[in-house]
Amino acid sequence: MDSKPELDFFRDTPVRYLGYANEIGESFRSMISQAAVRATYGISFGYVFMDVIDKGKKSLEKEKDLARSGIEKESPAIKTAKIASDCLIWQSFASVIIPGFTINRICKLSSFIMQKRNVALRTNKILTTIIGLGSIPLIIHPIDHACHVVMDKTIRPILGIETHLK
């Protein structure tokens, strides 16, 4: 019998890309308003909070079942708070904070170099945006992995929850 892992709607489907909306905003920063850039962060953090709510609800159901069966000794609410906290911290850093900062700096450096080379402003903005967008697929997986490594060695042991990387 083949047992497939359950599909995680927020991490295993294209919905995951909502977490990277702020990276799109950072890539287009030179071409769109500050309000539009902020709105992309709102979309990304909205995604993060929806994933936290989803993980919290699923964890609470599972932990209540384990508590009823006598398998789990920790309070379902406490265990769920730990799982939701882990999700919030990981998603905030891996989906919003670190990627947004990274793309911002890549775009800032690209624009600076082009200014020093006297590239026309319109061309500078277009190329900066293209460089930012092109960088997104290159940074996603290394950042995700690095966040798991750091959390596996710090926060997850403190919370007493399972590490992600085996």
Side-chain angles (χ1 to χ4, degrees):
M1 184 149 84
D2 187 25
S3 174
K4 292 183 181 177
E6 181 183 339
L7 177 74
D8 185 332
F9 179 73
F10 288 95
R11 297 192 188 179
D12 300 329
T13 69
V15 170
R16 172 77 172 113
Y17 296 114
L18 290 174
Y20 299 116
N22 64 308
E23 293 169 57
I24 307 277
E26 287 296 345
S27 295
F28 279 95
R29 181 179 282 275
S30 66
M31 300 174 81
I32 61 176
S33 70
Q34 183 68 24
V37 174
R38 287 186 182 135
T40 65
Y41 276 86
I43 292 167
S44 292
F45 273 116
Y47 161 81
V48 168
F49 295 135
M50 292 304 295
D51 190 33
V52 170
I53 291 167
D54 178 64
K55 298 301 175 289
K57 286 174 73 173
K58 288 177 180 174
S59 173
L60 187 59
E61 290 170 15
K62 177 183 168 191
E63 296 304 320
K64 281 182 176 179
D65 288 344
L66 291 172
R68 278 191 286 273
S69 67
I71 294 172
E72 184 64 53
K73 301 299 180 213
E74 189 171 29
S75 157
I78 298 293
K79 182 74 173 189
T80 297
K82 290 177 179 183
I83 298 294
S85 296
D86 175 74
C87 181
L88 177 63
I89 294 165
W90 187 86
Q91 284 285 15
S92 294
F93 280 96
S95 295
V96 184
I97 297 167
I98 296 172
F101 176 79
T102 302
I103 296 298
N104 177 283
R105 296 295 84 195
I106 288 170
C107 290
K108 187 75 171 172
L109 178 62
S110 300
S111 179
F112 175 78
I113 290 170
M114 284 186 266
Q115 283 174 347
K116 291 295 179 191
R117 301 217 179 260
N118 296 318
V119 173
L121 182 60
R122 181 169 168 77
T123 303
N124 181 329
K125 288 181 177 187
I126 292 168
L127 290 176
T128 296
T129 301
I130 291 169
I131 291 167
L133 292 171
S135 299
I136 295 170
L138 303 175
I139 68 167
I140 293 172
H141 296 295
I143 290 172
D144 286 358
H145 182 76
C147 287
H148 280 305
V149 168
V150 170
M151 289 185 66
D152 280 354
K153 294 185 183 307
T154 58
I155 293 166
R156 290 177 178 142
I158 291 168
L159 291 174
I161 60 175
E162 191 176 323
T163 59
H164 181 80
L165 304 172
K166 306 297 180 220

